[in-house]
Amino acid sequence: MKNILVTGSSGQISSELIPALSKRGYNIISSDIRDPPKEELEYSTFTRLDVTDREALRQIVREYQIEGIIHNASILSAKGEENPYLAMNVNIRGLENVLTVAHEENVQRILSPSSIAAFGPSTPKIDTPNDTIMRPTTIYGISKVYTELLGEYFVLKFGLDFRSLRYPGIISAKTLPGGGTTDWAVEIFYKAIEEKKYTCFVKPDTMMPMMAMPDCINATIQLFEAPEDKLIHRTFNVAGISFTPQMLAEEIKKHIPEFIIDYKPDYRQQIADSWPKSIDDTVAKEEWGWESKFSLEDLVIYMLDELSKKLKSTVSSP
Ligand code: SER
């Protein structure tokens, strides 16, 4: 498999996944409704695509002889609550288009991520199992349950090779996430470096599952390349580290002692409270060898280093 289409290519995850895939020898066609980051053009051929346009998608799949699709285009949780119809259109219609075109045009493999948002208030919150109650209360979460179930339906019905993984909050220094409930765990680093102060939009003790971008990229590529005969499941929990804003702030203070945090919870608190606090990823470990490599300490060092370089600021080490 060589020719891979990545949708949502200008977003947080794709902007780091595309260079990584390209370095592994894939020929990447990147697509987004927005302009691509400049660097992406070194690693991929960009083509503009609105995933809600099925025939435009089909044309790209034919023109570039696409063999695999990583379908990342999605409206995240907080933005989805501000505009549920947009989220329904992009997340649900977009997914239907990707799966339908993949099946009809004989694309071999699809990876379309799910999220911890696919869980809801009635899901067990600690060490949430891979197979459990899925009754999300956000439109984003509902669209992700649909992603998992429709993808698995295409496996059963048409033999499509569909895979999905439930990302926790992804923390990265290159591209900002757009409109998620876990965005505080990224924003805090920019503010700590630039202003030494951050006002957090969830309460200090809000424990959430998170993951550093290098772990996210490894998990995605590992699952995409996993031998199909080893997969009993098609959708997988992947855990990184769980922490609260208070815990993260304490760890940042070890490097930036003058950093202060205060709290002004908004509508995103309710979304955060409906999600798990920690994730059990035994199934991913067993079926395709997943393993997280980052501790909270590692994550903070990684983010401060990367962001300091990016923002050309200096941060002292303890
Ligand atoms: N980071 C996402 C969000 O907050 C969760 O998948 O919406």
Side-chain angles (χ1 to χ4, degrees):
M1 209 183 334
K2 187 115 180 101
N3 298 338
I4 308 292
L5 173 68
V6 178
T7 69
S9 65
S10 307
Q12 183 199 17
I13 293 173
S14 299
S15 69
E16 300 200 38
L17 181 63
I18 287 169
L21 285 169
S22 160
K23 285 173 192 163
R24 283 184 79 74
Y26 293 104
N27 176 29
I28 306 296
I29 311 305
S30 54
S31 67
D32 203 293
I33 199 165
R34 299 164 294 178
D35 286 336
K38 250 200 207 132
E39 195 204 353
E40 205 160 284
L41 302 174
E42 283 173 40
Y43 296 101
S44 65
T45 304
F46 179 79
T47 174
R48 200 160 309 263
L49 173 68
D50 173 351
V51 290
T52 65
D53 184 343
R54 183 177 296 184
E55 293 317 307
L57 170 66
R58 189 189 306 280
Q59 243 185 347
I60 291 171
V61 166
R62 285 186 181 167
E63 183 180 341
Y64 294 98
Q65 297 171 12
I66 296 299
E67 295 155 289
I69 302 178
I70 299 187
H71 175 46
N72 282 345
S74 187
I75 303 292
L76 291 181
S77 59
K79 197 168 165 202
E81 290 316 290
E82 282 164 12
N83 196 342
Y85 292 111
L86 175 70
M88 279 161 61
N89 205 25
V90 174
N91 299 10
I92 295 177
R93 298 288 91 76
L95 170 83
E96 290 169 349
N97 289 342
V98 167
L99 290 173
T100 306
V101 168
H103 166 55
E104 289 173 354
E105 303 297 326
N106 298 314
V107 175
Q108 292 168 33
R109 187 169 297 167
I110 309 298
L111 186 147
S112 184
S114 182
S115 159
I116 51 165
F119 299 116
S122 51
T123 303
K125 287 207 179 306
I126 311 286
D127 290 336
T128 303
N130 205 81
D131 304 316
T132 187
I133 301 165
M134 316 285 299
R135 297 192 63 78
T137 47
T138 61
I139 190 63
Y140 175 63
I142 291 166
S143 75
K144 289 302 180 186
V145 173
Y146 185 61
T147 298
E148 298 179 7
L149 295 181
L150 194 67
E152 291 176 19
Y153 176 78
F154 270 68
V155 176
L156 289 173
K157 183 85 179 168
F158 302 119
L160 190 76
D161 184 354
F162 167 87
R163 296 142 189 235
S164 184
L165 68 177
R166 297 186 184 121
Y167 291 136
I170 305 298
I171 302 173
S172 65
K174 191 170 162 189
T175 307
L176 283 167
T181 305
T182 53
D183 291 11
W184 60 266
V186 179
E187 290 170 9
I188 191 171
F189 287 100
Y190 283 83
K191 296 285 183 183
I193 293 173
E194 290 182 318
E195 297 170 27
K196 319 281 181 234
K197 184 178 182 313
Y198 178 57
T199 301
C200 185
F201 59 76
V202 294
K203 291 190 265 181
D205 59 348
T206 311
M207 171 82 75
M208 301 190 79
M210 302 282 180
M211 180 178 275
M213 184 61 95
D215 265 357
C216 168
I217 299 302
N218 285 342
T220 308
I221 293 178
Q222 237 183 309
L223 176 59
F224 188 69
E225 293 181 347
E228 194 179 12
D229 60 0
K230 293 275 184 302
L231 302 181
I232 300 162
H233 293 75
R234 291 290 173 159
T235 302
F236 298 89
N237 283 357
V238 281
I241 11 169
S242 285
F243 53 79
T244 65
Q246 201 165 28
M247 288 162 68
L248 182 56
E250 286 308 315
E251 197 57 43
I252 291 173
K253 272 189 209 174
K254 292 183 188 165
H255 302 265
I256 307 175
E258 62 275 39
F259 175 59
I260 49 172
I261 183 165
D262 61 9
Y263 300 90
K264 218 188 248 174
D266 63 18
Y267 69 102
R268 290 170 281 190
Q269 182 68 50
Q270 204 187 347
I271 302 178
D273 289 342
S274 75
W275 292 353
K277 295 180 189 301
S278 60
I279 295 291
D280 180 338
D281 57 3
T282 315
V283 171
K285 286 177 172 152
E286 285 172 357
E287 292 183 29
W288 47 276
W290 160 244
E291 202 185 335
S292 161
K293 296 203 166 56
F294 274 69
S295 65
L296 179 56
E297 224 178 8
D298 299 332
L299 171 79
V300 169
I301 291 170
Y302 164 75
M303 282 300 285
L304 293 178
D305 278 357
E306 292 293 313
L307 267 187
S308 301
K309 277 187 247 155
K310 182 173 159 183
L311 303 171
K312 292 195 178 42
S313 167
T314 44
V315 183
S316 60
S317 286

